[in-house]
Amino acid sequence: MRKSRSLEQWRNIIEEQQASDLTIAEYCQQHALSKTTFYATKNKLSASSGHFIRAKITKQIDVIEQQKPFTLAIGNVTLSLPTTTSATFLSQLLRDLAG
């Protein structure tokens, strides 16, 4: 007997398939779904959704805001140094410039 599904049910089925890492053929076989109906419904939902493409996050990264360098002016010398400059390096640099 053929089972009738709503578009919302198909939307959930398609999302489950995409999250499963199975091919459409494998997913349909495991869930006793018609591949033809699956593809037809997927295309129908794609056309009606304004070409929305679901993205899958494969790697999470932290975005670090780029910090502006700081400027050090001593006499007629101006230095622009990154904010990651170590205190040890900075103190040695100041000693060398003063001496």
Side-chain angles (χ1 to χ4, degrees), residues 72-78:
L72 178 63
I74 301 174
N76 62 351
V77 176
T78 302

Side-chain angles (χ1 to χ4, degrees), residues 29-48:
Q29 184 177 10
Q30 286 184 12
H31 292 85
L33 298 169
S34 161
K35 282 193 308 183
T36 305
T37 305
F38 186 97
Y39 280 111
T41 308
K42 184 177 178 186
N43 289 337
K44 183 177 182 179
L45 288 171
S46 259
S48 68

Side-chain angles (χ1 to χ4, degrees), residues 22-80:
L22 295 172
T23 66
I24 291 173
E26 292 168 337
Y27 186 86
C28 287
Q29 184 177 10
Q30 286 184 12
H31 292 85
L33 298 169
S34 161
K35 282 193 308 183
T36 305
T37 305
F38 186 97
Y39 280 111
T41 308
K42 184 177 178 186
N43 289 337
K44 183 177 182 179
L45 288 171
S46 259
S48 68
S49 70
H51 302 290
F52 178 79
I53 299 172
R54 179 172 299 279
K56 182 176 181 181
I57 298 173
T58 57
K59 183 178 180 182
Q60 185 75 30
I61 61 168
D62 294 325
V63 178
I64 301 172
E65 187 176 321
Q66 184 68 29
Q67 295 181 347
K68 295 181 180 177
F70 66 90
T71 304
L72 178 63
I74 301 174
N76 62 351
V77 176
T78 302
L79 294 172
S80 183

